[in-house]
Amino acid sequence: MRLRRSRCLTCYWHDNAFVVHPHPHGTPTALHPAAAEILAAFEDWSTPGEAAGRLGHLTPDTVQEAVTTLVRSGALLARGSEAARRDEQIAGLWGAWMPEASFFHYATQDVYDAQPGGDPPHDTGDPPGDAGDPPGVAGDANAEASVEAPPPPLFTGHPQAPRLLLPRRPAGLGTPFGEVLYDRRTHRDFTGAPVSLETLATLLAVVFGPVDFIDCGRGALYRRTSPQGGSRQEIDAYVGVLGVSGLAPGWYHYDGLRHGLEMLSEGLTPAEAAHLCAGQSWAERPAFLVVLAARLERMSVKYPTPRAYRVCLLDAGHLGQTFALTATALGLGPAQTGAFRDSAVAGRCGLDDTGHTPLYVLAAGHPAPTPQDAPPPAGIPAFASTTLLDP
């Protein structure tokens, strides 16, 4: 039998053990670190005897014993098997994103099936009544963690920072919903005219502020205009001001409880904004940036499963869409990007980048009347060169 190392394979240390973790097939298996050397001998299709020949310092019996375990775990695949075919297919489709993305995606699939006695949490957005699950609903493991772990603060605050309380008179949001939906687009060209403080205040309050508060049985939770897994509200908003009337350029934290901005650091130039957004030149031109940063303990204290990180990413997306629609309704041009320098952005926002980490960067400003970066409408030549249907 000819065998080959799985292309979808991650090895790591966990709880003082060396773990071989093939995905999506296979089983995470704790092995002696020497297993890595044996796996390396199966880079191409080989028999155990051929692999043993490459590992002259190991006896054939030792190699065969390890091979048996590695085959059982799914780390070694038999030529012509369905598992090998699936492995090659995944490696081909995910090749540009491997190993990090494919491992995270597949290693967090069906995780609830591996939790005896634990029912999967039923809320992927606002739970019934927007109140969050009471202890125990999400399964014994989650309920136990929820009881033992101290609840994190409901709001993030910077009490030592200078604070500006924002206007509470909302700017107009009377644009018909249908117009907002169809007028929304990602903008990369802006006039450079400053955005009014009232407009920024309305945008922040509508997207990131609390709508109402609910008694969850162990204290208060709150609801936003976007769905958030378990009402944990783990996403904070940090504002990089470039051109807002009445606000000095710099970095601020939006305090949703007090509807105010807390100044964290002074100064922000267009050149720095572009640098933080991975060198994208358009980031020089909006009136402000908004960094969405996750306070991970707010989510993990209730959902102690790696799959919950997916929910954090989904929650950031929900907020990004609400931001884009609200900005459009206010006459602004929204933009968003996942391309940014994580450590530099975290540093400017005062985040530790460990339990409080940036996930998404949004932006807005007055859109240019004639965008220079907008692509032209598609015509017949464009459609002729585009595959629209699977064969």
Side-chain angles (χ1 to χ4, degrees):
M1 179 173 58
R2 306 190 74 81
L3 305 169
R4 192 202 64 197
R5 175 185 57 80
S6 170
R7 298 294 184 247
C8 305
L9 177 66
T10 299
C11 300
Y12 51 85
W13 290 94
H14 182 69
D15 288 342
N16 296 320
F18 178 75
V19 179
V20 173
H21 191 156
H23 57 277
H25 56 269
T27 305
T29 304
L31 298 170
H32 190 280
E37 187 177 7
I38 296 174
L39 284 169
F42 285 93
E43 176 65 21
D44 296 312
W45 297 110
S46 304
T47 66
E50 291 169 343
R54 301 187 189 104
L55 301 167
H57 59 291
L58 297 177
T59 67
D61 288 344
T62 300
V63 173
Q64 182 59 59
E65 182 179 356
V67 165
T68 300
T69 302
L70 291 168
V71 169
R72 187 182 305 119
S73 72
L76 287 179
L77 304 175
R79 190 170 195 172
S81 66
E82 176 59 26
R85 185 199 64 78
R86 175 72 167 152
D87 181 73
E88 291 176 359
Q89 180 186 35
I90 292 173
L93 292 173
W94 287 79
W97 296 343
M98 290 178 71
E100 296 87 352
S102 63
F103 177 69
F104 171 66
H105 177 73
Y106 287 109
T108 55
Q109 283 188 344
D110 304 318
V111 294
Y112 304 115
D113 293 340
Q115 296 180 2
D119 296 328
H122 65 265
D123 52 334
T124 56
D126 290 332
D130 298 324
D133 292 327
V137 168
D140 295 340
N142 288 346
E144 182 180 352
S146 181
V147 170
E148 292 181 355
L154 190 60
F155 290 88
T156 298
H158 299 268
Q160 305 304 317
R163 179 179 292 109
L164 171 69
L165 296 180
L166 294 170
R168 291 187 179 270
R169 176 180 296 180
L173 283 173
T175 307
F177 184 60
E179 290 185 23
V180 172
L181 283 177
Y182 285 98
D183 287 346
R184 186 224 62 83
R185 60 174 294 271
T186 297
H187 288 262
R188 293 290 187 255
D189 293 289
F190 304 90
T191 65
V195 169
S196 71
L197 185 62
E198 291 76 13
T199 299
L200 175 62
T202 298
L203 180 62
L204 294 175
V206 169
V207 180
F208 304 107
V211 173
D212 47 38
F213 291 84
I214 312 110
D215 183 351
C216 69
R218 295 183 60 225
L221 293 175
Y222 70 96
R223 182 174 63 87
R224 284 171 168 164
T225 52
S226 297
Q228 299 280 281
S231 284
R232 306 317 296 170
Q233 310 299 352
E234 78 283 0
I235 308 293
D236 292 332
Y238 290 80
V239 185
V241 171
L242 289 162
V244 177
S245 300
L247 276 181
W251 284 95
Y252 301 78
H253 167 252
Y254 175 61
D255 181 349
L257 181 61
R258 299 173 182 84
H259 187 47
L261 288 173
E262 299 166 320
M263 174 172 268
L264 304 178
S265 60
E266 297 181 352
L268 177 61
T269 66
E272 183 190 5
H275 172 76
L276 293 174
C277 292
Q280 299 176 86
S281 61
W282 68 264
E284 298 180 353
R285 300 189 285 269
F288 56 88
L289 308 176
V290 179
V291 174
L292 305 190
R295 285 287 296 267
L296 299 179
E297 77 275 15
R298 286 190 190 141
M299 182 67 72
S300 62
V301 72
K302 181 176 182 181
Y303 300 124
T305 165
R307 188 183 180 91
Y309 181 62
R310 286 189 183 190
V311 180
C312 294
L313 302 179
L314 294 170
D315 288 347
H318 295 319
L319 289 168
Q321 176 71 328
T322 303
F323 175 92
L325 294 176
T326 305
T328 302
L330 291 169
L332 300 179
Q336 52 282 318
T337 182
F340 56 88
R341 304 182 194 278
D342 302 68
S343 299
V345 168
R348 284 299 260 143
C349 295
L351 309 175
D352 62 16
D353 207 18
T354 302
H356 204 182
T357 185
L359 299 180
Y360 204 8
V361 175
L362 314 175
H366 292 294
T370 306
Q372 300 299 312
D373 290 343
I380 289 178
F383 284 112
S385 61
T386 302
T387 301
L388 298 178
L389 297 173
D390 286 334

